[in-house]
Amino acid sequence: MKTMSRAECVHYCENRLIDLWKTHGREAAHSIRHERYLECKDFCKRHGFNAVEFYEMWKMAFTFAKRAYTE
């Protein structure tokens, strides 16, 4: 059972990406970016989304974050 909507998970990941970029810049180290990816993946998994669903949501969140982020 999903406890959160797809849009809510996308929005969470979008915010986490923007926070990452504000803190470490767009060129953050791979380990830092990967840590954020795993954090979002775990968050969405806890709310009922599988890996395939998460990957699609991650791509959407990344696109939305790129549009919203201003340096």
Side-chain angles (χ1 to χ4, degrees):
M1 181 173 101
K2 292 185 175 25
T3 58
M4 183 173 265
S5 74
R6 176 181 291 267
E8 289 171 317
C9 276
V10 169
H11 185 68
Y12 173 82
C13 294
E14 175 188 357
N15 287 336
R16 298 305 292 148
L17 278 166
I18 291 171
D19 180 59
L20 169 76
W21 294 337
K22 284 181 179 177
T23 306
H24 300 284
R26 291 289 301 266
E27 300 300 322
H30 179 268
S31 60
I32 295 169
R33 294 189 322 264
H34 187 67
E35 182 180 310
R36 190 60 48 100
Y37 174 85
L38 292 177
E39 173 191 333
C40 289
K41 184 177 181 180
D42 184 56
F43 177 84
C44 291
K45 182 179 179 182
R46 286 192 317 258
H47 291 282
F49 295 97
N50 66 34
V52 174
E53 292 172 311
F54 170 72
Y55 181 69
E56 292 301 317
M57 292 187 291
W58 179 257
K59 290 190 310 185
M60 287 191 325
F62 189 81
T63 299
F64 294 154
K66 282 193 330 187
R67 290 180 190 159
Y69 178 69
T70 56
E71 294 184 51

